[in-house]
Amino acid sequence: MRPLRPWLRSLGTSLRALFVLTLLTGVLYTAAVLGLGQALLPAAANGSLLRDDAGDVIGSRLLGQSFTDAEGAPLPEWFQSRPSAAGDGYDGGASSGSNLGPENPDLIAAIEQRRADIAAFEGVDPSEVPVDALTTSASGLDPHISAAYALLQAPRVAEARDLDPERVVALVESMIEPRALGFIGQERVTVVSLNLALEQLD
């Protein structure tokens, strides 16, 4: 029978190491990262939340939203987001793309239907509808649309709100975000932020 003393000594050493590492990596490190985030980038650390004039949270700059009625029809007085395949649309609990290949007949049919619907809604030729208005993002939660899609919607939004179209175009142009690092991706607009700013024009 082996003596228990060496085994107990090893167990004690292991438990002390577990305690120290848990304290360092589970408590102190977490507290340090949280503190730095709150001190240096509080908005980002708290989810980049957007608030209305009353201070109520209405969304996040990081997550897209639908601007539709109860039946899912787009509301003409708002800029529209790109399509979403996440649940019923922009569902954070069901983040996903369509997972359909580029030659899938269902995807092709859906894109052509969106092209026709958006062209009719915006009063433009179908060839003018940008690609991001027709396809879903990989996450289904992308808050951005291209600058081209935002500008395409400006006349319709201006008419629905009885605003000067030039003011709405100027608003869109002021909200355009540049390419990341100057060359990655494309110029884009955060739809929720744009619609929040749009309310200030009324």
Side-chain angles (χ1 to χ4, degrees):
M1 181 175 178
R2 299 178 59 188
L4 291 178
R5 188 170 300 236
W7 182 82
L8 289 173
R9 190 163 42 246
S10 295
L11 179 61
T13 301
S14 298
L15 290 175
R16 285 193 297 274
L18 175 64
F19 174 77
V20 170
L21 291 173
T22 299
L23 180 65
L24 288 175
T25 62
V27 179
L28 297 179
Y29 173 77
T30 303
V33 170
L34 176 63
L36 283 172
Q38 292 296 329
L40 300 177
L41 301 166
N46 291 315
S48 299
L49 301 178
L50 296 170
R51 300 177 185 275
D52 61 15
D53 292 337
D56 297 324
V57 175
I58 59 170
S60 167
R61 283 183 47 82
L62 305 176
L63 298 173
Q65 290 185 25
S66 296
F67 294 89
T68 56
D69 62 19
E71 283 73 43
L75 296 169
E77 67 269 24
W78 298 109
F79 285 91
Q80 297 298 310
S81 305
R82 68 185 299 182
S84 171
D88 292 330
Y90 295 99
D91 180 357
S95 176
S96 174
S98 67
N99 295 324
L100 299 176
E103 297 182 5
N104 184 284
D106 292 337
L107 177 62
I108 293 171
I111 288 174
E112 291 307 315
Q113 185 62 56
R114 288 176 191 146
R115 189 190 310 277
D117 291 345
I118 292 171
F121 188 58
E122 304 296 348
V124 299
D125 188 271
S127 64
E128 297 179 51
V129 179
V131 173
D132 62 299
L134 307 174
T135 56
T136 63
S137 66
S139 68
L141 306 176
D142 189 350
H144 304 108
I145 58 175
S146 66
Y149 187 27
L151 290 168
L152 180 76
Q153 299 182 63
R156 181 254 304 157
V157 171
E159 181 179 359
R161 290 179 174 264
D162 195 25
L163 293 170
D164 180 354
E166 292 186 3
R167 290 184 67 201
V168 179
V169 169
L171 175 66
V172 171
E173 291 175 340
S174 73
M175 302 289 290
I176 294 175
E177 302 169 23
R179 297 171 180 235
L181 301 177
F183 67 93
I184 299 175
Q186 63 179 342
E187 292 182 334
R188 61 203 180 279
V189 175
T190 302
V191 179
V192 180
S193 297
L194 176 59
N195 280 335
L196 187 60
L198 179 63
E199 289 193 301
Q200 308 305 315
L201 291 184
D202 289 345

mmCIF file of all heavy atoms in Angstrom, residues 83-101:
data_model
loop_
_atom_site.group_PDB
_atom_site.id
_atom_site.type_symbol
_atom_site.label_atom_id
_atom_site.label_comp_id
_atom_site.label_asym_id
_atom_site.label_seq_id
_atom_site.Cartn_x
_atom_site.Cartn_y
_atom_site.Cartn_z
ATOM 1 N N PRO A 83 -31.507 42.539 -46.775
ATOM 2 C CA PRO A 83 -32.265 41.365 -46.323
ATOM 3 C C PRO A 83 -31.497 40.602 -45.242
ATOM 4 O O PRO A 83 -30.267 40.656 -45.174
ATOM 5 C CB PRO A 83 -32.400 40.514 -47.595
ATOM 6 C CG PRO A 83 -32.138 41.442 -48.723
ATOM 7 C CD PRO A 83 -31.201 42.480 -48.214
ATOM 8 N N SER A 84 -32.246 39.907 -44.410
ATOM 9 C CA SER A 84 -31.635 39.111 -43.341
ATOM 10 C C SER A 84 -32.219 37.706 -43.344
ATOM 11 O O SER A 84 -33.432 37.524 -43.458
ATOM 12 C CB SER A 84 -31.876 39.762 -41.977
ATOM 13 O OG SER A 84 -31.479 38.907 -40.931
ATOM 14 N N ALA A 85 -31.336 36.701 -43.213
ATOM 15 C CA ALA A 85 -31.785 35.312 -43.131
ATOM 16 C C ALA A 85 -31.744 34.806 -41.700
ATOM 17 O O ALA A 85 -31.884 33.608 -41.461
ATOM 18 C CB ALA A 85 -30.899 34.431 -44.022
ATOM 19 N N ALA A 86 -31.553 35.703 -40.730
ATOM 20 C CA ALA A 86 -31.473 35.316 -39.320
ATOM 21 C C ALA A 86 -32.876 35.257 -38.725
ATOM 22 O O ALA A 86 -33.482 36.283 -38.425
ATOM 23 C CB ALA A 86 -30.611 36.307 -38.543
ATOM 24 N N GLY A 87 -33.407 34.062 -38.577
ATOM 25 C CA GLY A 87 -34.748 33.894 -38.030
ATOM 26 C C GLY A 87 -35.774 34.612 -38.891
ATOM 27 O O GLY A 87 -35.810 34.465 -40.107
ATOM 28 N N ASP A 88 -36.592 35.432 -38.235
ATOM 29 C CA ASP A 88 -37.593 36.234 -38.960
ATOM 30 C C ASP A 88 -37.004 37.543 -39.437
ATOM 31 O O ASP A 88 -37.728 38.416 -39.919
ATOM 32 C CB ASP A 88 -38.806 36.506 -38.058
ATOM 33 C CG ASP A 88 -39.607 35.244 -37.767
ATOM 34 O OD1 ASP A 88 -39.620 34.347 -38.637
ATOM 35 O OD2 ASP A 88 -40.191 35.149 -36.680
ATOM 36 N N GLY A 89 -35.692 37.708 -39.299
ATOM 37 C CA GLY A 89 -35.002 38.928 -39.718
ATOM 38 C C GLY A 89 -34.299 39.581 -38.558
ATOM 39 O O GLY A 89 -34.941 39.975 -37.583
ATOM 40 N N TYR A 90 -32.988 39.646 -38.634
ATOM 41 C CA TYR A 90 -32.169 40.290 -37.609
ATOM 42 C C TYR A 90 -32.422 39.715 -36.217
ATOM 43 O O TYR A 90 -32.486 40.435 -35.235
ATOM 44 C CB TYR A 90 -32.361 41.810 -37.634
ATOM 45 C CG TYR A 90 -31.866 42.403 -38.919
ATOM 46 C CD1 TYR A 90 -32.734 42.722 -39.948
ATOM 47 C CD2 TYR A 90 -30.508 42.569 -39.132
ATOM 48 C CE1 TYR A 90 -32.264 43.220 -41.149
ATOM 49 C CE2 TYR A 90 -30.031 43.068 -40.335
ATOM 50 C CZ TYR A 90 -30.912 43.389 -41.337
ATOM 51 O OH TYR A 90 -30.442 43.864 -42.515
ATOM 52 N N ASP A 91 -32.581 38.402 -36.141
ATOM 53 C CA ASP A 91 -32.767 37.707 -34.871
ATOM 54 C C ASP A 91 -31.402 37.294 -34.342
ATOM 55 O O ASP A 91 -30.760 36.401 -34.891
ATOM 56 C CB ASP A 91 -33.667 36.484 -35.089
ATOM 57 C CG ASP A 91 -33.908 35.698 -33.812
ATOM 58 O OD1 ASP A 91 -33.335 36.066 -32.759
ATOM 59 O OD2 ASP A 91 -34.662 34.715 -33.863
ATOM 60 N N GLY A 92 -30.957 37.948 -33.259
ATOM 61 C CA GLY A 92 -29.640 37.655 -32.703
ATOM 62 C C GLY A 92 -29.496 36.231 -32.199
ATOM 63 O O GLY A 92 -28.386 35.717 -32.082
ATOM 64 N N GLY A 93 -30.610 35.581 -31.902
ATOM 65 C CA GLY A 93 -30.557 34.196 -31.441
ATOM 66 C C GLY A 93 -30.515 33.188 -32.567
ATOM 67 O O GLY A 93 -30.411 31.983 -32.320
ATOM 68 N N ALA A 94 -30.594 33.660 -33.814
ATOM 69 C CA ALA A 94 -30.584 32.754 -34.966
ATOM 70 C C ALA A 94 -29.677 33.303 -36.054
ATOM 71 O O ALA A 94 -30.002 33.224 -37.233
ATOM 72 C CB ALA A 94 -31.992 32.561 -35.489
ATOM 73 N N SER A 95 -28.543 33.854 -35.656
ATOM 74 C CA SER A 95 -27.618 34.455 -36.616
ATOM 75 C C SER A 95 -27.181 33.444 -37.661
ATOM 76 O O SER A 95 -26.688 32.373 -37.334
ATOM 77 C CB SER A 95 -26.388 35.003 -35.877
ATOM 78 O OG SER A 95 -25.449 35.510 -36.786
ATOM 79 N N SER A 96 -27.392 33.807 -38.928
ATOM 80 C CA SER A 96 -27.052 32.876 -40.007
ATOM 81 C C SER A 96 -27.244 33.561 -41.350
ATOM 82 O O SER A 96 -28.028 34.500 -41.480
ATOM 83 C CB SER A 96 -27.952 31.638 -39.949
ATOM 84 O OG SER A 96 -27.727 30.794 -41.063
ATOM 85 N N GLY A 97 -26.504 33.067 -42.341
ATOM 86 C CA GLY A 97 -26.754 33.453 -43.716
ATOM 87 C C GLY A 97 -27.751 32.498 -44.321
ATOM 88 O O GLY A 97 -28.291 31.613 -43.651
ATOM 89 N N SER A 98 -28.013 32.644 -45.608
ATOM 90 C CA SER A 98 -28.983 31.756 -46.258
ATOM 91 C C SER A 98 -28.411 30.363 -46.472
ATOM 92 O O SER A 98 -29.147 29.395 -46.596
ATOM 93 C CB SER A 98 -29.405 32.349 -47.602
ATOM 94 O OG SER A 98 -28.305 32.336 -48.507
ATOM 95 N N ASN A 99 -27.062 30.267 -46.526
ATOM 96 C CA ASN A 99 -26.368 28.996 -46.756
ATOM 97 C C ASN A 99 -26.760 28.340 -48.076
ATOM 98 O O ASN A 99 -26.724 27.115 -48.215
ATOM 99 C CB ASN A 99 -26.612 28.011 -45.596
ATOM 100 C CG ASN A 99 -26.026 28.508 -44.295
ATOM 101 O OD1 ASN A 99 -24.966 29.132 -44.280
ATOM 102 N ND2 ASN A 99 -26.707 28.249 -43.203
ATOM 103 N N LEU A 100 -27.144 29.148 -49.047
ATOM 104 C CA LEU A 100 -27.469 28.641 -50.380
ATOM 105 C C LEU A 100 -26.354 29.021 -51.341
ATOM 106 O O LEU A 100 -25.847 30.141 -51.303
ATOM 107 C CB LEU A 100 -28.801 29.207 -50.871
ATOM 108 C CG LEU A 100 -30.029 28.879 -50.023
ATOM 109 C CD1 LEU A 100 -31.263 29.582 -50.580
ATOM 110 C CD2 LEU A 100 -30.250 27.378 -49.948
ATOM 111 N N GLY A 101 -25.975 28.083 -52.212
ATOM 112 C CA GLY A 101 -24.919 28.333 -53.178
ATOM 113 C C GLY A 101 -25.367 29.298 -54.262
ATOM 114 O O GLY A 101 -26.570 29.497 -54.477
#
